[in-house]
Amino acid sequence: MDILSSVCHISAVRFSHRYCFATVHCLPRLNIRSSLPLPVQKAKYHKELEAAVDAVEKACRLCVDVKASLFSSDGRVLVKNDQTPVTVADFGVQALISLVVAEEDSAFLRSSNTLVDTVVNEVTAKASPTNKPWTQVDVLEAIDRGGKNAVEFRSKPATYWVLDPIDGTRGFLKSNKALYVVGLALVVEGEIVLGIMGCPNWQEDLIEKPTANFEKHFDVPSETGVIMIAHIGCGTWAKRFSNVQNSYWTRCSVDGSDLVQKARFCIPDSQTWESLPLYTAFNATNNAESLGNNQILLLQTCCGSLCKYLMVASGRASVFILRAKEKTIIKAWDHVVGMICVHEAGGKVTDWEGKEIDLSADQIGRRIIFPSGGVLVTNSNLHDQILLLISQNSVI
């Protein structure tokens, strides 16, 4: 079966313990100058990963170009029926990575001929010179392959791609410093086998160790952007986005914090520390230099979930915790690629009861997850400690 051109039915995701390296943070950092840092003989999905990395890099460049003109061109920023901002970049990314299960469909796009033309122009500009020119019909059909009615899923294990065209769309619209991520993952026979996250405006050097004052690091001018990849059994790696040809791959690992009060936390932008069960045990502060007793460091990041996964996988944050609120839908594509990146970096992802996230819970569309209580992403060392605190201070 050609995984690069197939969309099939799927079932639940299960991570084997042999792929969770609890001591990976002790490994030396390795730099490899090559197209991919993974040996072909060990990486079963090497070909799929190469193609996916190329697609995500093109998608990130499309995002950068669209954002450059976002605030000076009418019609580039739109609002969907659910009030989530959607842009030319959202639709353009999905057209570039068309054979996936993803967030958007073209119904909204079809309502504006001007917008369709803009998306076609952006996609064509980023396609390979050897590709035939994309027509309006090609683009709309490519987007609809990831639409909510494109595939009806069953319980039989199979293979599919999961795409979030822009995770953190509000951050994409907010400012140059607000992080957003293009996320793509592959599930094979119910198991997440590879993932790629592209963050075009990430400004921190993943080779360096994180500093205590994390936020100031984002104000330092530098080469921007990072591509993070993970392959099952082969670890998590990252490289600079802005100069792909001359960049090195760096092995990523979660941090080694083993005390909750020494950990660096991040939470959803729509939630407050006071809404989480750890609030009864610790207060939160954004100032790393004035941590007091019973205080934890809360990192301010914007705006989607995947940038938090990226931070945990790279050791920049120790914990990402999200509460599952009543009447709030938790979408699978906001988590799938982050899950494998964190797992392969030595971390752990479960619900608040310590159970693995079940992507088959949404039996028809596989678009929604139902984690009991919420989602907990950690460096593994802290996982059981935080689960205990959650169970002692909340009713799931």
Side-chain angles (χ1 to χ4, degrees), residues 32-161:
I32 295 178
R33 194 182 184 89
S34 67
S35 58
L36 284 182
L38 316 176
V40 177
Q41 63 273 22
K42 186 177 181 181
K44 182 178 180 180
Y45 304 100
H46 193 278
K47 181 179 71 171
E48 288 78 12
L49 184 58
E50 279 189 323
V53 169
D54 181 64
V56 170
E57 287 177 349
K58 284 185 171 66
C60 287
R61 296 185 194 286
L62 185 151
C63 291
V64 170
D65 289 348
V66 171
K67 186 167 184 176
S69 59
L70 187 63
F71 298 103
S72 60
S73 177
D74 292 339
R76 292 293 182 100
V77 181
L78 303 168
V79 178
K80 290 189 291 189
N81 293 335
D82 64 359
Q83 301 303 304
T84 300
V86 63
T87 64
V88 169
D90 249 331
F91 290 114
V93 168
Q94 181 150 331
L96 281 171
I97 312 174
S98 61
L99 295 175
V100 293
V101 174
E103 183 173 4
E104 315 297 345
D105 61 43
S106 69
F108 183 72
L109 187 60
R110 292 173 190 269
S111 64
S112 171
N113 289 333
T114 300
L115 183 59
V116 171
D117 291 340
T118 304
V119 172
V120 171
N121 291 338
E122 293 290 350
V123 171
T124 302
K126 296 299 174 295
S128 170
T130 60
N131 292 348
K132 68 176 184 179
W134 282 38
T135 66
Q136 182 180 117
V137 172
D138 292 331
V139 170
L140 293 175
E141 287 182 351
I143 292 171
D144 284 339
R145 290 190 189 106
K148 61 184 178 181
N149 297 318
V151 180
E152 182 177 342
F153 295 98
R154 302 293 184 183
S155 59
K156 183 179 179 180
T159 299
Y160 76 119
W161 291 95

Side-chain angles (χ1 to χ4, degrees), residues 172-231:
F172 180 80
L173 300 175
K174 191 173 182 180
S175 71
N176 289 331
K177 295 179 182 179
L179 301 179
Y180 62 95
V181 172
V182 177
L184 180 64
L186 176 63
V187 176
V188 175
E189 298 297 318
E191 188 171 46
I192 308 173
V193 299
L194 64 83
I196 307 96
M197 290 193 284
C199 183
N201 60 344
W202 179 280
Q203 289 191 330
E204 188 170 11
D205 190 346
L206 291 179
I207 298 175
E208 296 177 356
K209 293 182 179 180
T211 58
N213 196 340
F214 182 88
E215 287 301 311
K216 285 188 176 180
H217 222 72
F218 279 92
D219 295 329
V220 179
S222 65
E223 286 187 272
T224 61
V226 67
I227 297 287
M228 176 177 284
I229 66 171
H231 185 292

Side-chain angles (χ1 to χ4, degrees), residues 16 126 160 170 187 195 282 373 390:
S16 170
K126 296 299 174 295
Y160 76 119
R170 291 181 178 86
V187 176
F282 300 97
I390 291 173

Side-chain angles (χ1 to χ4, degrees), residues 170-316:
R170 291 181 178 86
F172 180 80
L173 300 175
K174 191 173 182 180
S175 71
N176 289 331
K177 295 179 182 179
L179 301 179
Y180 62 95
V181 172
V182 177
L184 180 64
L186 176 63
V187 176
V188 175
E189 298 297 318
E191 188 171 46
I192 308 173
V193 299
L194 64 83
I196 307 96
M197 290 193 284
C199 183
N201 60 344
W202 179 280
Q203 289 191 330
E204 188 170 11
D205 190 346
L206 291 179
I207 298 175
E208 296 177 356
K209 293 182 179 180
T211 58
N213 196 340
F214 182 88
E215 287 301 311
K216 285 188 176 180
H217 222 72
F218 279 92
D219 295 329
V220 179
S222 65
E223 286 187 272
T224 61
V226 67
I227 297 287
M228 176 177 284
I229 66 171
H231 185 292
I232 192 165
C234 296
T236 298
W237 301 76
K239 69 176 178 179
R240 277 294 177 195
F241 164 72
S242 57
N243 191 5
V244 172
Q245 298 299 322
N246 298 315
S247 59
Y248 289 88
W249 287 102
T250 300
R251 183 75 178 261
C252 295
S253 57
V254 296
D255 79 355
S257 298
D258 55 8
L259 295 175
V260 175
Q261 56 268 39
K262 299 293 184 180
R264 297 181 298 276
F265 284 75
C266 48
I267 63 175
D269 307 281
S270 61
Q271 298 182 12
T272 64
W273 181 254
E274 289 74 20
S275 69
L276 300 172
L278 272 66
Y279 168 66
T280 58
F282 300 97
N283 294 320
T285 179
N286 301 127
N287 191 341
E289 298 178 357
S290 63
L291 279 174
N293 294 330
N294 295 323
Q295 281 191 318
I296 59 92
L297 180 61
L298 186 62
L299 304 178
Q300 294 180 329
T301 58
C302 189
C303 282
S305 294
L306 289 185
C307 73
K308 279 85 166 176
Y309 278 97
L310 194 153
M311 290 171 65
V312 174
S314 64
R316 269 49 197 169

